[in-house]
Amino acid sequence: EQSSGINAEYGLLISTDPAHNIADSFEQQFTRVPTPVKGVSNLHAMEVDSSPPEEGLEEIFADPSNEGQNFMKNIMKDVVGNLPGLDEFIALTNIVKIVESQKFEVVVFDTAPTGHTLRLLSIPGSIDKVLRQLIQMKSWVSGLMNTMSGSLGMNHVNMDQLDELLPIVERLNQELKDPDMTTFVCVCIPEFLSLYETERLIQKLTALDIDTHNVVVNQVVYPDKDKEGCTACGLCGARARMQTKYLDQINDLYEDFHVVKMPQMPCEVKGVQMLRKFGGYLQSPPDMSKNSVHDLVKDL
């Protein structure tokens, strides 16, 4: 995923993983705002949390000139603020604003593990349903709120903010489900738990109508050979034989997918130079029948 941003004309890499690691990968610090990546002229990166700043709901409901509106804000923060996924939704809308303000052509999300990611991706659809139900109840709720605010000597409350939120949610939904705009690249390793989790992820993405047709298989072991062509490391050979079973299953399960098998590298994949090299192998996988993993990094 990181190399996709590097090869873009003007790209942004966003980490939404609570345990951010892009700073380690690029060996520089990132914040909540897009920061140029050192050594890559066409790439910015940022690290964001899935929870928004405290002012997130206040921006939606508050109106400094309307005392009744601020009374509503406090109540709506308790009512709407407890909706499952609203925090993440506000964070998503903040990210969209940042992306649009700087006209990035390609945006790559480095997401958290499966459970967290599925929650994040399902939020726009869930919020859409809840908002529609609230809008249907708006006249009743608005009347109740105005009665309460009137009895306290406050101005009338305006609930049109709910109508303003709905187009934002609809747009996020449409963009997530548009295969020309969004696709999801699944990354796994050739082991049972990872393969099982990847299959669950792909089934859920399909149910959410989110495009996915790429699978990257990381850490594939290609053992060194001795002069006679035999495996030089017993442990490496055992790992390779174990992985072969799961690689065969991946080939069967995802025969219609674009599957890229990335070798276990003999060194850490970090720093711009190494990431460029690794990204090149993502686009043009090396022929491991003719190369050892040491050959892949000998010029670094």
Side-chain angles (χ1 to χ4, degrees):
E1 293 182 359
Q2 292 158 339
S3 64
S4 299
I6 290 175
N7 292 319
E9 291 184 14
Y10 189 44
L12 173 65
L13 173 62
I14 302 174
S15 171
T16 60
D17 190 338
H20 299 297
N21 58 17
I22 62 172
D24 296 327
S25 297
F26 286 100
E27 299 178 322
Q28 75 174 87
Q29 293 300 310
F30 298 106
T31 63
R32 295 174 67 100
V33 298
T35 303
V37 175
K38 297 174 183 177
V40 188
S41 61
N42 57 351
L43 180 64
H44 286 61
M46 60 187 289
E47 295 178 339
V48 298
D49 297 323
S50 60
S51 57
E54 284 296 318
E55 64 269 17
L57 282 174
E58 295 181 9
E59 290 180 359
I60 294 176
F61 293 113
D63 180 355
S65 64
N66 189 336
E67 187 179 5
Q69 197 80 333
N70 291 325
F71 169 72
M72 172 203 172
K73 176 198 72 176
N74 293 326
I75 295 180
M76 290 302 289
K77 281 181 70 176
D78 289 335
V79 176
V80 180
N82 288 320
L83 294 177
L86 185 67
D87 284 355
E88 290 88 346
F89 167 72
I90 295 174
L92 278 175
T93 59
N94 289 338
I95 291 172
V96 170
K97 291 176 184 176
I98 291 173
V99 170
E100 290 181 340
S101 68
Q102 302 197 30
K103 306 297 183 183
F104 291 104
E105 296 172 343
V106 175
V107 180
V108 179
F109 284 85
D110 176 23
T111 59
T114 303
H116 187 278
T117 297
L118 289 176
R119 172 180 164 83
L120 197 63
L121 292 174
S122 63
I123 283 167
S126 301
I127 296 292
D128 181 272
K129 293 177 183 178
V130 173
L131 275 181
R132 291 182 187 278
Q133 292 173 350
L134 285 175
I135 288 171
Q136 290 176 354
M137 299 169 58
K138 184 173 66 172
S139 59
W140 178 82
V141 175
S142 180
L144 176 63
M145 298 293 291
N146 284 326
T147 299
M148 294 175 64
S149 59
S151 66
L152 296 173
M154 299 177 178
N155 296 328
H156 280 200
V157 170
N158 179 11
M159 293 191 64
D160 289 340
Q161 285 87 350
L162 293 177
D163 292 311
E164 295 170 5
L165 271 178
L166 189 57
I168 300 174
V169 180
E170 290 176 336
R171 182 180 160 204
L172 271 176
N173 258 327
Q174 291 171 356
E175 293 184 354
L176 275 176
K177 296 179 180 181
D178 184 350
D180 294 327
M181 293 190 66
T182 304
T183 190
F184 198 97
V185 179
C186 300
V187 181
C188 66
I189 59 176
E191 295 184 10
F192 171 76
L193 290 178
S194 181
L195 177 56
Y196 174 81
E197 189 172 321
T198 300
E199 177 60 15
R200 184 169 66 92
L201 172 61
I202 290 175
Q203 289 180 4
K204 184 62 175 179
L205 290 171
T206 302
L208 291 171
D209 292 326
I210 297 175
D211 177 72
T212 178
H213 57 270
N214 293 282
V215 175
V216 176
V217 187
N218 256 342
Q219 301 179 18
V220 179
V221 175
Y222 294 95
D224 290 335
K225 301 294 181 69
D226 58 23
K227 294 180 180 179
E228 286 74 34
C230 298
T231 300
C233 168
L235 175 61
C236 299
R239 294 285 300 174
R241 288 191 296 273
M242 179 272 292
Q243 289 186 350
T244 298
K245 176 175 66 174
Y246 297 111
L247 290 170
D248 290 341
Q249 291 182 24
I250 289 171
N251 291 333
D252 291 339
L253 282 170
Y254 309 120
E255 59 181 353
D256 296 327
F257 282 58
H258 177 230
V259 178
V260 179
K261 301 179 180 70
M262 296 298 292
Q264 173 81 63
M265 305 299 280
C267 56
E268 289 184 293
V269 181
K270 58 186 298 187
V272 170
Q273 187 179 14
M274 186 64 186
L275 287 170
R276 285 188 185 276
K277 174 71 74 173
F278 197 75
Y281 294 142
L282 275 171
Q283 294 180 320
S284 301
D287 183 355
M288 297 309 297
S289 66
K290 300 178 180 178
N291 295 281
S292 77
V293 290
H294 305 283
D295 295 329
L296 304 182
V297 295
K298 62 183 179 182
D299 57 339
L300 294 178

